Amino acid sequence: MIQRRPLILSAAALAGLVAVGLPQFAFAQSKLKVAAVYTVPFEQQWVGRIHKALKAAEARGEIEYKATENVANADYERVMREYATAGNQLIVGEAFAVEAAARKVAKDFPKTMFLMGSSGKPQAPNFSVFDNYIQEPAYLTGMIAGGMTKSNKIGMVGGFPIPEVNRLMNAFMAGAKEVNPKVEFSVSFINSWFDPPKAKEAAFAMIDKGADIMYAERFGVSDAAKERKVLAIGNVINTQPQYPDTVVVSALWNMEPSVDRAIKLVKDAQFKAEDYGPYSQMQYKGSELSPLGTFEKKVPADLVAKVKAREAEILSGKYSVKIDDRQPKSSK
């Protein structure tokens, strides 16, 4: 009884303090502090999807969110360090061009968790990697493109020929070939993540050579398609509202499954270095085929049926879209 009495009094005292409303903040779970570092503007489609998922978590009251856009590669490490030093518990961003620097920061801040877009592997104990593994809906959009082209020529404009881009292009090409073995491809990379004018010029060159459908991996391609009155296939985000007569369909990336999982694991002190790539796949709702929208009655019914059948097989696990990270080439 002597040993129990102080504990009973302590519990009663704590209950009394909460009742009068003094230190209630000590009992409420504090919001997770999350920061993001982006090398391109928020409007860029890849970064835009990450930003959207984090803003949604902020709107739900789960996190305090700060982000910096348009960070030069040379400044990336400095900005990461500033956010880590400021006490942010989770830092999100893209390490593709700054792998060594980003991983060095993670080593220097072992109590800070990192979720970074990367071509590399996770780094224990606190550096997880992710990317938009949306090759499944990319394959389905390829099927639609292969069935819609009349010239049998499709143009494809990408940013950089890195695995993350290559796998989407290759999946798209494989999907097109499934329904149309005669289709030919023109492939070009602009060596920039955000240069709409350059992407537009590359698209013009392909359209001038007969391409009647453009794969818009970068901003600027759909503008060229609209001007030349050919069709376009979207990537990562749905741009059909901006191009209702041009963009037939898009392969959409949803970063919410990855972001929400990381936030929960950090809050539960269970976050560890792992590959979040699978959470971008269709079975986790990390990616999907956009609605046909304005093209619902323009895409042939038999083609829609083929696409839906293949989509069902992907979701059930009966069909697996091959991951091909090799640089895609133009048809000979």
Side-chain angles (χ1 to χ4, degrees):
M1 293 295 292
I2 295 174
Q3 290 181 335
R4 285 186 175 182
R5 190 172 182 81
L7 294 176
I8 295 171
L9 288 174
S10 177
L14 288 172
L17 289 173
V18 173
V20 297
L22 291 179
Q24 290 187 23
F25 62 89
F27 298 89
Q29 187 175 17
S30 59
K31 292 182 182 179
L32 194 74
K33 293 183 66 176
V34 180
V37 189
Y38 305 123
T39 61
V40 292
F42 295 141
E43 65 183 286
Q44 193 260 11
Q45 63 264 52
W46 191 89
V47 156
R49 301 306 275 182
I50 306 168
H51 187 58
K52 173 179 173 286
L54 288 167
K55 291 294 287 184
E58 180 186 42
R60 293 194 301 267
E62 295 180 12
I63 65 172
E64 290 182 15
Y65 174 50
K66 294 181 179 179
T68 305
E69 60 183 332
N70 291 318
V71 177
N73 290 341
D75 279 340
Y76 205 90
E77 180 179 352
R78 176 185 61 81
V79 178
M80 282 184 72
R81 288 185 180 279
E82 287 179 354
Y83 275 134
T85 302
N88 287 284
Q89 296 147 286
L90 175 64
I91 295 177
V92 184
E94 75 263 34
F96 301 109
V98 289
E99 288 281 356
R103 291 171 185 271
K104 184 172 182 290
V105 175
K107 284 184 178 181
D108 292 344
F109 292 89
K111 293 184 180 180
T112 304
M113 304 301 115
F114 296 83
L115 179 61
M116 306 294 290
S118 171
S119 299
K121 296 184 181 299
Q123 174 182 290
N126 61 334
F127 190 95
S128 287
V129 297
F130 71 90
D131 197 33
N132 58 331
Y133 279 78
I134 61 171
Q135 64 277 353
E136 294 163 333
Y139 185 97
L140 298 176
T141 64
M143 291 179 68
I144 292 173
M148 291 287 286
T149 178
K150 295 178 180 178
S151 67
N152 290 331
K153 293 182 179 181
I154 296 176
M156 306 181 70
V157 180
F160 289 92
I162 64 172
E164 289 72 16
V165 174
N166 297 345
R167 75 173 65 104
L168 305 187
M169 285 187 157
N170 284 320
F172 173 89
M173 295 164 81
K177 283 283 190 181
E178 178 185 333
V179 299
N180 185 355
K182 296 180 180 179
V183 72
E184 297 180 350
F185 304 95
S186 294
V187 181
S188 177
F189 295 92
I190 62 172
N191 294 317
S192 171
W193 291 131
F194 193 74
D195 192 341
K198 191 173 183 179
K200 187 176 181 180
E201 286 303 315
F204 277 148
M206 294 176 181
I207 296 168
D208 288 343
K209 292 181 180 179
D212 63 350
I213 293 185
M214 295 299 306
Y215 176 71
E217 200 272 329
R218 292 292 105 190
F219 276 161
V221 175
S222 294
D223 290 308
K226 180 182 178 180
E227 286 188 26
R228 296 294 172 87
K229 292 182 170 49
V230 300
L231 302 178
I233 302 294
N235 182 57
V236 176
I237 62 175
N238 186 2
T239 54
Q240 192 183 78
Q242 291 78 37
Y243 305 93
D245 300 318
T246 303
V247 175
V248 181
V249 70
S250 301
L252 305 182
W253 181 33
N254 301 320
M255 187 60 180
E256 284 79 359
S258 295
V259 163
D260 294 349
R261 184 173 186 273
I263 290 171
K264 184 180 186 304
L265 290 176
V266 175
K267 284 186 173 182
D268 293 344
Q270 297 293 317
F271 188 94
K272 61 182 180 180
E274 59 182 315
D275 184 357
Y276 277 63
Y279 298 102
S280 286
Q281 294 179 0
M282 292 181 73
Q283 69 179 105
Y284 293 101
K285 302 187 185 302
S287 59
E288 61 183 313
L289 188 68
S290 74
L292 290 175
T294 54
F295 278 82
E296 190 168 357
K297 295 182 179 179
K298 299 177 184 178
V299 179
D302 60 336
L303 178 58
V304 172
K306 287 180 182 178
V307 172
K308 286 186 176 180
R310 181 63 77 207
E311 181 181 38
E313 290 178 342
I314 291 172
L315 289 170
S316 69
K318 291 182 180 178
Y319 187 84
S320 178
V321 175
K322 181 182 177 182
I323 295 178
D324 185 353
D325 290 343
R326 296 173 299 175
Q327 181 173 340
K329 305 291 185 181
S330 297
S331 302
K332 294 181 180 180

